[in-house]
């Protein structure tokens, strides 16, 4: 790579703009190469720490030695002196380990991991090489490694610089890959399909020409009709003359013209009919072919953005090792499903929640070695992370530990103390309802706040992230046996299955993944408990709210069709489940998500918009927000029965200026529902023109 291309050369900054661009690209390439080589070194160190067979140890050491040597050459090429010195020190240590046959001291592994972390920080932030703190840290690590390589004192790991974080050390922002590596085979498929789109382009041009010919035929017919229209008027007057005036004889010449026109008109209409019939057949064939092309292209584009789950799982083994040692615990991580490919955007969104769940397993779940001995457990705790494919559109992420389990008594006491639930509600709760309390913001069973957990916010954020993508999170726990978290997420974010419901005459879409049940019940099934409507479903009593009230929309007046029944759907799990009543449930279909843009980046109860097959823009509801709005009772039922004249008298006009047709239509829909008269404009000039007129 870089070391091969730039062997024996030094990279030096320059003021030439073109060279500066080249330098930036070179550094970006180096950062990408460093990330790959460090991943191999880290995984090999983890494997080396568990391996006692001499032959296997020599093979692993050879791999690490080669990676460190190649990375040193690349660092020399771009003048990264700090990384070069660290890699040189690693080479010396691995060379010494290859000569030894004994066990490697655990403290040395800590020091080696610190060296790898330092290289990662240097590659993400080249300025570290020039900062006094960075230079000092690098010098300390190099000296410690050098002492061991020369056969000196036992290695002493340096104090950790910072707790593990899923953020980039250089920016403080989540480290998100700006590039995606795509296999050449996938690009070839995309290129071939793009070539096939030329056929659709030519077919579209041909259909346009056929429509132009059809339009010309109709224009000719209209022209001939204009010529014969005076004769038709004259004949019409003759036929409708008043009684007693006598019926004048029609002009023979005009009758001849009419008969000739009608004969020609019949043949013209027949010709247009044949052309329209042929055009309809061709258009249907084109639609069929284009549907296949678009579906295949979209499917391959999705695959292009699909990355193996190893992209987020590869950071976990080292993180578990470091955090367990920092807490005086022993833990082993077992991973499954690394090869399953899911949407890159899902990976990026779920990386932080997954890391938090694993950190919670270490901090809250796994006990100290002495506690595990007392409970006849293995000294080393087990943490399991498994990703499985449920069906063609969903995955499940399972995070489990064999630790102490959830302390439901302490969790419930904290919830009652902080007013999250009342003592009476806590007395009626079942075991699964106690577990759901861990997702409430501000609740934690930890008696102290650490740099890892204790504030009670992490699991609430995990659920919020999952629900934002249309997924769900559940938890199960057994005392002294462990805790299991399950996240069910969509495989891709571009499309999802949605349930179309209506409130009044306005349709909405609810992500199907978040919906538990869809039912039609008798109105008599509604009961009132503590001044709130409830409904019994599957043996459980759920709160019932009308979606119109939650969204603050006017309800339909008078009895509608099938007025003796109520249609509803449920969202949530455990004690947080709520039934939402709607006027109708129309269909379940594939939905393409449209963003609302920066102006509407966060609207309560709204997750986005979609365009249905009929071209109508429909609001996608946010399941998590609906639960919050319903449980907090923020919605006020709209006033109904207002006289139409009064409502019309106070209507105000709103001008909506938006260049996106999706956002413009959605805003217009929302404002008209709220009682405003809406005028839309495409841009500022259009808006000013409408304001002047």
């Amino acid at each position: 790579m870089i070391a091969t291309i730039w062997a024996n050369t030094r990279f030096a900054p320059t003021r030439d703009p073109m060279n500066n661009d080249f330098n930036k690209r070179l550094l970006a390439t180096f950062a990408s190469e460093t990330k790959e080589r460090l991943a191999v070194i880290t995984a090999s160190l983890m494997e080396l720490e568990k391996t006692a067979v001499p032959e296997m140890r020599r093979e692993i050491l050879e791999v690490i030695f080669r990676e460190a040597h190649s990375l040193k050459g690349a660092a020399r090429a771009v003048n990264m002196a700090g990384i070069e010195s660290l890699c040189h020190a690693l080479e010396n240590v691995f060379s010494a380990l290859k000569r030894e046959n004994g066990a490697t001291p655990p403290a040395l592994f800590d020091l080696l991991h610190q060296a790898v972390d330092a290289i990662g920080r240097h590659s993400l932030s080249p300025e570290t090489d020039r900062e006094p703190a960075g230079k000092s840290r690098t010098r300390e690590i190099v000296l410690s490694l050098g002492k061991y390589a020369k056969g000196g004192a036992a290695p002493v790991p340096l104090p950790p610089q910072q707790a593990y974080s899923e953020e980039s050390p250089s920016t403080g922002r989540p480290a998100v890959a700006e590039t995606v590596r795509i296999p050449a085979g996938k690009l070839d498929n995309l290129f071939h399909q793009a070539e096939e789109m030329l056929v659709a382009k030519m077919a579209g041009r041909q259909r346009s020409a056929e429509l132009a010919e059809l339009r010309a035929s109709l224009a000719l017919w209209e022209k001939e009709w204009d010529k014969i229209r005076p004769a038709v008027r004259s004949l019409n007057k003759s036929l409708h003359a008043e009684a007693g005036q006598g019926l004048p004889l029609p002009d023979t010449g005009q009758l001849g013209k009419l008969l000739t026109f009608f004969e020609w008109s019949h043949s013209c209409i027949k010709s247009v009919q044949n052309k329209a019939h042929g055009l309809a057949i061709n258009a249907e064939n084109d639609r069929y072919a284009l549907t296949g092309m678009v579906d295949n292209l979209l499917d391959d584009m999705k695959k292009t953005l699909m990355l193996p789950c190893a992209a987020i799982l590869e950071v976990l083994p080292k993180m578990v090792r470091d955090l367990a040692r920092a807490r005086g615990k022993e833990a082993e991580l077992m991973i499954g499903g690394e090869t399953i490919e899911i949407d890159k955007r899902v990976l990026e969104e779920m990386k932080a929640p997954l890391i938090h769940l694993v950190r919670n397993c270490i901090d809250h779940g796994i006990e100290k070695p002495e506690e595990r001995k007392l409970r006849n457990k293995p000294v080393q705790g087990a943490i399991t992370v498994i990703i499985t494919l449920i069906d063609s559109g969903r995955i499940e992420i399972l995070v489990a530990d064999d630790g102490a389990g959830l302390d439901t008594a302490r969790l419930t006491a904290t919830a009652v103390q902080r007013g999250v639930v009342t003592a009476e509600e806590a007395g009626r709760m079942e075991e699964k309802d106690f577990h759901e309390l861990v997702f409430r913001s501000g609740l934690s069973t930890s008696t102290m706040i650490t740099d890892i957990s204790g504030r009670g916010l992490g699991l609430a954020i995990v659920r919020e992230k999952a629900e934002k993508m249309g997924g769900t999170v559940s938890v199960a726990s057994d005392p002294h046996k462990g805790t299991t978290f399950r996240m069910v997420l969509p495989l891709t974010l571009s499309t999802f299955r949605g349930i179309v419901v209506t409130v009044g005459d306005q349709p909405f879409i609810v992500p199907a993944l978040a919906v538990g049940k869809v039912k039609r019940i008798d109105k008599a099934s509604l009961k009132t408990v503590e001044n709130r409507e409830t409904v019994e479903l599957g043996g459980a009593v759920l709160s019932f709210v009308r979606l119109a009230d939650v969204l603050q929309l006017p309800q339909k007046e008078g009895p509608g069709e099938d007025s003796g029944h109520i249609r509803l759907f449920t969202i949530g799990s455990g004690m947080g489940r709520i039934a939402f009543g709607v006027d109708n449930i129309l269909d379940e279909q594939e939905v393409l998500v449209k963003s609302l843009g920066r102006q509407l980046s966060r609207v309560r109860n709204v997750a986005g918009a979609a365009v249905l097959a009929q071209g109508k823009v429909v609001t996608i509801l946010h399941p998590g927000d609906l639960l919050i709005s319903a449980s907090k009772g923020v919605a006020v039922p709209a006033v109904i029965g207002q006289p139409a004249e009064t409502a019309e008298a106070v209507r105000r006009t709103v001008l909506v200026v938006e260049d996106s047709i999706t956002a413009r239509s959605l805003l217009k829909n929302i404002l008209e529902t709220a009682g405003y008269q809406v005028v839309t404009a495409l841009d500022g000039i259009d808006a000013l023109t409408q304001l002047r007129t």
Side-chain angles (χ1 to χ4, degrees), residues 287-308:
R287 183 199 66 79
Y288 181 79
L290 189 60
T291 298
M293 291 180 190
V294 171
D295 289 346
N296 291 335
L297 185 60
L298 181 61
D299 189 49
D300 278 0
M301 282 303 301
K302 285 180 182 178
K303 291 178 181 176
T304 302
L305 284 175
M306 303 281 261
L307 293 178

Side-chain angles (χ1 to χ4, degrees), residues 346 350 388 390-391 393-398 466-467 469-474 485-491 513-514:
V346 176
M350 291 314 299
T388 54
I390 300 177
D391 51 40
R394 295 182 303 163
I395 60 165
E396 180 188 76
I397 302 178
L398 180 143
E467 290 176 345
M469 292 186 293
T472 60
V473 182
S474 61
F485 289 91
R486 296 178 186 272
M487 287 189 288
V488 178
L489 302 170
L491 199 61
L513 200 60

Side-chain angles (χ1 to χ4, degrees), residues 84-106:
E84 183 182 354
S85 60
L86 286 166
C87 289
H88 184 71
L90 287 175
E91 279 184 316
N92 293 335
V93 172
F94 296 140
S95 180
L97 289 174
K98 287 166 68 175
R99 295 191 300 268
E100 297 175 357
N101 293 323
T104 306

Side-chain angles (χ1 to χ4, degrees), residues 595-618:
S595 170
L596 301 184
R598 290 174 296 178
Q599 298 91 336
L600 298 173
S601 59
R602 189 69 179 93
V603 179
R604 182 166 57 88
N605 299 324
V606 175
V611 181
L612 298 182
Q614 301 84 358
K616 187 176 182 62
V617 179
V618 181

Side-chain angles (χ1 to χ4, degrees), residues 155-168:
V156 178
L158 302 175
Q161 190 169 7
Q162 61 180 15
Y164 180 85
S165 172
E166 58 269 21
E167 297 178 346
S168 165

Side-chain angles (χ1 to χ4, degrees), residues 611-678:
V611 181
L612 298 182
Q614 301 84 358
K616 187 176 182 62
V617 179
V618 181
T619 305
I620 301 173
L621 299 178
H622 192 298
D625 283 3
L626 290 181
L627 288 174
I628 295 173
S629 298
S631 60
K632 289 186 176 180
V634 296
V636 179
V639 178
I640 60 175
Q642 186 180 18
E645 297 78 14
T646 307
E648 187 66 30
V650 298
R651 288 185 72 187
R652 297 183 179 181
T653 303
V654 176
L655 176 62
V656 174
V657 187
E658 171 59 56
D659 59 353
S660 168
I661 186 171
T662 301
R664 190 166 67 245
S665 301
L666 182 64
L667 284 168
K668 183 175 184 292
N669 201 0
I670 294 173
L671 290 170
E672 284 180 342
T673 303
Y676 293 95
Q677 183 175 347
V678 182

Side-chain angles (χ1 to χ4, degrees), residues 259-293:
L259 292 174
T260 303
F261 171 77
F262 288 140
E263 286 291 336
W264 176 87
S265 178
H266 177 266
S267 62
C268 181
I269 295 298
K270 195 69 177 176
S271 173
V272 170
Q273 181 185 12
N274 292 334
K275 289 178 181 178
H277 180 68
L279 184 60
I281 293 175
N282 292 335
E284 178 61 22
N285 292 335
D286 292 345
R287 183 199 66 79
Y288 181 79
L290 189 60
T291 298
M293 291 180 190

Side-chain angles (χ1 to χ4, degrees), residues 128-157:
T128 306
D129 263 355
R130 297 184 288 273
E131 294 175 356
K135 288 182 178 180
S136 175
R137 180 76 175 184
T138 300
R139 190 181 302 110
E140 291 175 351
I141 295 175
V142 169
L143 288 174
S144 297
L145 291 173
K147 288 179 181 178
Y148 179 82
K150 293 177 181 178
V156 178

